[in-house]
Amino acid sequence: LQLGELRRAEQTRERMLRELVRLERRIDALATAAPDDAEQAAFDLWADDIETVGGSVVVTDAEGNAIADLVITQPDLERWLMDAGVEKRDAANEPSE
């Protein structure tokens, strides 16, 4: 039982450290960013009022083949994706359906 609690506490600490790093990056960027709306929008992957829990994420390889279809179970996906080295695709480069 204590080993499980220790692991949960360590995982929580790691998440908090990642969040602090992300927050520092955001603060630095906001401090130096131009007041242009496009610059500010680049920090958000989607609007803050969008509910993502229950939605899904489809991960594809470089050729566009789906390799995982993930269900979103927590509300903090955007925060994790910002730390994961992903960026918003330019709408002009998105495939048409």
Side-chain angles (χ1 to χ4, degrees):
L1 187 63
Q2 285 183 335
L3 185 59
E5 289 178 46
L6 174 62
R7 287 189 180 138
R8 282 190 296 279
E10 289 172 337
Q11 289 173 339
T12 300
R13 179 185 61 199
E14 291 302 315
R15 287 183 188 130
M16 292 175 77
L17 289 172
R18 283 192 300 267
E19 178 62 14
L20 284 172
V21 168
R22 186 195 69 78
L23 186 57
E24 284 296 325
R25 284 188 210 139
R26 185 170 178 124
I27 288 169
D28 290 345
L30 289 170
T32 59
D36 184 280
D37 289 341
E39 287 290 324
Q40 295 298 327
F43 290 103
D44 285 332
L45 297 175
W46 51 79
D48 292 338
D49 61 346
I50 294 176
E51 176 62 44
T52 58
V53 174
S56 66
V57 174
V58 176
V59 179
T60 62
D61 63 16
E63 287 78 39
N65 302 307
I67 57 174
D69 188 355
L70 310 171
V71 176
I72 303 168
T73 61
Q74 299 291 322
D76 51 1
L77 177 64
E78 183 180 33
R79 178 180 68 215
W80 295 106
L81 288 174
M82 287 176 161
D83 291 339
V86 299
E87 58 187 43
K88 205 173 194 178
R89 186 186 311 239
D90 181 9
N93 295 331
E94 289 184 17
S96 57
E97 296 190 27

